[in-house]
Amino acid sequence: MSARCLAWAKSTSTYFHIAAKSFSTVQPLATCSAQHIPGLAKQSKGTLLQACLFSRNYSSQAAVNAQPTARNRVSIPFALTAVSAGAAAIYFVSTADDDVAVFATLHSIPRTLQAAWWGAQASLAYKQVMAQYPDTTSQEHKDLIAQTHQQLATKLLHVCQNNGGVYIKAAQTFSTIQAIPKEYRKTLEVLQDQVEPGPVEDVAEVLQRELGAPASQLFAEFEPEARAAASLAQVHKARLYDGRQVAVKVQYLGLEAAVAADMATLSALSTVAAWLFPKSFELGWVLDDLRRNLALELDFRLEAENAAKLMHFFHGRRNITAPAVIPELCTKRVITMEWVEGCRVNDQESMQQASIRPKDVAVLLLDVFAEMTYVHGFVHADPHPGNILVRPAPDQGFWWRHFTKWKQPQLVLLDHGLYLTIPDKLRQQYCQLWCSFVVQDHQTAVTLGTAIAGKRGGELLPTILRPGGLKQVSPEERKRLRTSAGVDNLGDLGKLLEALPRSLVEILKVSATVRSTASILGAPLSDRLRVNAVHALHGMAYSRDAQGMVEYIGDLQSRTTRIRISATICALRTWSWLSATVTDIYIWWRPQPIVP
């Protein structure tokens, strides 16, 4: 225990150094808290106490001369947050019995200090902007606030990259929410859920704990070097005794304790930010969602169940699959699945080398997730490019074999830890909303939007969801919609999103991620409208509940309207098929140029 604590203390001395400079007015509180934790010196041989004393000695002179400036008044809440988190971690160390959990909790303290330091900087910067330009409608204020957003977003990106784990998960979640300023969204969306893998000794310990035997007994071969490492687990390639190649996904040692500590820090910082900026920061519900999602992702048994359920829904389709699970080698913290080769869904160069057309992949991606959403109501909730592989389908169809130079793509979905189950009533309403777009029935769309999102979001929701909807709205109309929905600032928009059904918010996040990937691969807006309309029409016509009834809203109650929608969608499908077929045949029969 003492050796691990000593290593931790050395690695965190830099962060205590930073904390001493930035939180000098409250640093003695940290030392006082550490000194009064019973049994601390005995259990860790004084290592933690030495680290706290180092911070106190460094900042003692600054603390004597500190004055209650505006900078200190802003920094103090964040400093108290860091001190509270550190004291809680130290108390846990003094009472916990599990050495792994103790070390994971200790390791969270430097991450807390980094996050709190960024929070103090951000609060001070925004207070200075408001003091310099109190009129939020002035161009000077808008320019300066945009510049401040960008500067702080860049710093936050570095904090999340350094801290990894939950911080990356949180940043990825925030980057998909339209309520967040665009400077933050654009900066944070580059974050990839990739980290340095943990030591192989930790992997061996987890395998021993979970499966009751070392890797040498469980597998004929086991690669010690991880093939991939994300925020929650790392993946090793192995071979079973029957010759099958498998991927062994192993959760990090002490992960649950680390996640709990980091989530406590993020929640505390969110509370402080909401207190300092009551009209601009009401996004604590996002962290609540993240906490619930992480609880699901930490149980790999649910991942195995979700993968099996997905393949049941898509049984018979050759262009979508998931790796087969090896049940006898799966526990809460270890999952073993079939090893699958393929390129990432955003790797266009590798696709073309495999004779796969990127646009075909884009349309397939839209089609698969539209079927999940509108028909099955069971949606993969983390469709970032690293979780979707592309390869040629093992069984190429007749058309692909004889009438085109391209190969039929197959999507391989990975990481099934988090799925969205859509309530059937919401699924039906969502289907009807998309069908109302097809016939441009604005009144029915608003009625459905009100049924889904309430009065405040009733008119705003169809405008947001309709393909190209916001681009077709004039600035005056946008202002009217915001006023109607009661959205005047970031805080109001956060409250509006908080009032929406959680399933709807998750649908919007997943749709935004899939739409972004499909657009990069070359899918035009017309393809998105057509694919969504086809599956919305299918999903609208039935209820997934055992004794549920289909309840049509607005003009969709008319059979004539529904027949008109069916005819329109059929025409869209026919035109799309003819256009793609003619293009493929022309390319296939076109004489190839002679290269001298």
Side-chain angles (χ1 to χ4, degrees):
M1 172 70 182
S2 59
R4 279 193 166 188
C5 287
L6 181 60
W8 166 81
K10 289 180 179 179
S11 68
T12 57
S13 61
T14 301
Y15 303 119
F16 276 108
H17 182 98
I18 295 174
K21 289 195 298 183
S22 56
F23 303 142
S24 57
T25 57
V26 295
Q27 187 62 44
L29 292 176
T31 305
C32 182
S33 299
Q35 289 173 334
H36 288 83
I37 296 299
L40 173 65
K42 179 180 179 181
Q43 181 161 351
S44 63
K45 292 185 171 52
T47 305
L48 295 178
L49 189 59
Q50 291 170 12
C52 289
L53 289 173
F54 163 79
S55 273
R56 185 191 65 179
N57 294 336
Y58 181 89
S59 60
S60 57
Q61 187 61 44
V64 170
N65 298 326
Q67 300 296 326
T69 62
R71 183 185 185 94
N72 288 333
R73 286 195 296 271
V74 173
S75 299
I76 284 175
F78 291 96
L80 291 174
T81 300
V83 169
S84 300
I90 294 171
Y91 177 75
F92 177 80
V93 168
S94 69
T95 58
D97 296 325
D98 186 354
D99 182 65
V100 171
V102 166
F103 183 65
T105 306
L106 290 175
H107 223 66
S108 71
I109 295 179
R111 299 195 294 270
T112 296
L113 294 175
Q114 282 205 78
W117 174 230
W118 178 88
Q121 288 180 302
S123 298
L124 180 62
Y126 286 124
K127 289 292 186 183
Q128 288 176 336
V129 172
M130 293 303 300
Q132 187 172 356
Y133 297 108
D135 183 7
T136 58
T137 62
S138 68
Q139 189 60 44
E140 291 84 358
H141 175 90
K142 293 178 180 179
D143 292 342
L144 185 57
I145 201 71
Q147 181 181 351
T148 304
H149 283 333
Q150 187 58 60
Q151 292 172 348
L152 291 171
T154 302
K155 292 181 179 180
L156 181 59
L157 175 65
H158 295 152
V159 170
C160 294
Q161 288 173 330
N162 291 335
N163 286 352
V166 170
Y167 289 87
I168 289 181
K169 286 281 187 182
Q172 289 177 327
T173 299
F174 277 101
S175 69
T176 63
I177 299 174
Q178 294 300 310
I180 302 296
K182 63 181 181 180
E183 291 83 5
Y184 282 92
R185 296 200 311 271
K186 293 296 183 182
T187 302
L188 297 179
E189 69 183 5
V190 304
L191 275 172
Q192 297 295 322
D193 194 7
Q194 297 175 345
V195 299
E196 287 295 321
V200 68
E201 293 80 10
D202 286 357
V203 174
E205 185 170 346
V206 173
L207 291 175
Q208 181 70 48
R209 288 186 175 199
E210 294 296 310
L211 299 174
S216 58
Q217 295 182 18
L218 297 168
F219 307 97
E221 293 179 5
F222 186 88
E223 294 186 359
E225 295 295 328
R227 289 295 189 99
S231 54
L232 303 183
Q234 61 191 56
V235 178
H236 292 258
K237 187 176 182 180
R239 182 173 62 85
L240 301 180
Y241 284 100
D242 61 9
R244 286 180 292 172
Q245 302 287 334
V246 294
V248 186
K249 185 176 177 182
V250 183
Q251 208 171 99
Y252 294 120
L253 195 62
L255 178 66
E256 291 184 3
V259 167
D262 287 343
M263 285 304 305
T265 296
L266 291 176
S267 296
L269 293 176
S270 174
T271 301
V272 171
W275 176 68
L276 288 173
F277 304 96
K279 294 184 179 181
S280 301
F281 198 93
E282 292 291 343
L283 295 172
W285 57 272
V286 179
L287 293 179
D288 293 337
D289 286 350
L290 179 62
R291 183 180 291 105
R292 285 192 295 267
N293 291 341
L294 283 172
L296 298 175
E297 291 187 83
L298 289 176
D299 190 345
F300 288 170
R301 295 169 299 187
L302 294 177
E303 181 170 353
E305 294 174 6
N306 290 336
K309 188 174 181 179
L310 176 75
M311 294 317 300
H312 169 73
F313 284 135
F314 285 94
H315 178 70
R317 284 191 61 165
R318 66 165 66 96
N319 54 10
I320 171 68
T321 190
V325 177
I326 314 299
E328 62 271 20
L329 294 175
C330 295
T331 68
K332 183 178 180 180
R333 298 178 179 85
V334 176
I335 184 171
T336 306
M337 308 181 80
E338 166 195 11
W339 181 268
V340 177
E341 298 286 354
C343 65
R344 290 166 60 108
V345 73
N346 60 349
D347 188 352
Q348 299 188 52
E349 182 178 352
S350 295
M351 291 182 202
Q352 292 174 343
Q353 290 175 356
S355 299
I356 296 175
R357 183 165 46 189
K359 185 182 177 182
D360 292 335
V361 175
V363 175
L364 177 59
L365 181 68
L366 291 171
D367 182 77
V368 165
F369 277 86
E371 182 174 337
M372 289 186 198
T373 303
Y374 298 106
V375 180
H376 305 304
F378 185 69
V379 187
H380 190 300
D382 192 15
H384 69 80
N387 282 341
I388 305 175
L389 300 181
V390 179
R391 65 180 183 181
D395 182 18
Q396 294 286 309
F398 178 82
W399 175 266
W400 297 90
R401 290 198 310 267
H402 299 287
F403 294 99
T404 178
K405 70 175 186 177
W406 302 102
K407 292 183 179 179
Q408 182 181 21
Q410 182 187 60
L411 296 184
V412 183
L413 297 188
L414 309 176
D415 195 356
H416 301 272
L418 191 60
Y419 269 74
L420 168 65
T421 301
I422 306 173
D424 198 59
K425 183 177 181 180
L426 175 60
R427 182 191 62 80
Q428 290 185 38
Q429 292 172 340
Y430 198 62
C431 289
Q432 293 182 46
L433 180 60
W434 266 92
C435 286
S436 69
F437 295 157
V438 175
V439 291
Q440 299 182 0
D441 185 352
H442 180 70
Q443 186 56 48
T444 298
V446 171
T447 303
L448 284 161
T450 302
I452 294 173
K455 291 183 179 180
R456 289 183 63 192
E459 194 173 3
L460 190 60
L461 183 63
T463 304
I464 294 174
L465 290 179
R466 183 185 295 111
L470 287 176
K471 295 180 180 179
Q472 300 172 6
V473 176
S474 64
E476 294 77 14
E477 180 65 10
R478 291 189 187 188
K479 183 176 180 179
R480 187 191 70 78
L481 288 172
R482 287 197 301 269
T483 302
S484 175
V487 177
D488 294 326
N489 52 52
L490 178 61
D492 291 336
L493 185 54
K495 291 178 181 178
L496 176 61
L497 290 173
E498 186 177 9
L500 294 178
R502 299 270 51 81
S503 295
L504 177 62
V505 176
E506 292 296 326
I507 290 173
L508 298 179
K509 287 163 54 180
V510 171
S511 298
T513 304
V514 172
R515 181 172 64 250
S516 174
T517 303
S519 298
I520 292 172
L521 295 176
L525 184 62
S526 57
D527 279 342
R528 179 179 166 231
L529 175 60
R530 172 182 55 81
V531 169
N532 280 280
V534 168
H535 290 290
L537 178 64
H538 181 197
M540 179 180 70
Y542 73 97
S543 171
R544 296 197 61 85
D545 292 340
Q547 299 178 345
M549 297 292 293
V550 177
E551 180 182 354
Y552 293 107
I553 295 178
D555 288 349
L556 292 174
Q557 297 176 358
S558 167
R559 184 184 298 271
T560 303
T561 300
R562 298 200 298 271
I563 291 175
R564 185 158 60 95
I565 291 174
S566 299
T568 303
I569 293 175
C570 182
L572 285 173
R573 294 186 68 182
T574 302
W575 172 253
S576 175
W577 180 81
L578 284 175
S579 134
T581 300
V582 170
T583 301
D584 283 346
I585 292 177
Y586 171 75
I587 294 175
W588 188 62
W589 284 100
R590 183 179 58 184
Q592 297 297 320
I594 299 176
V595 179

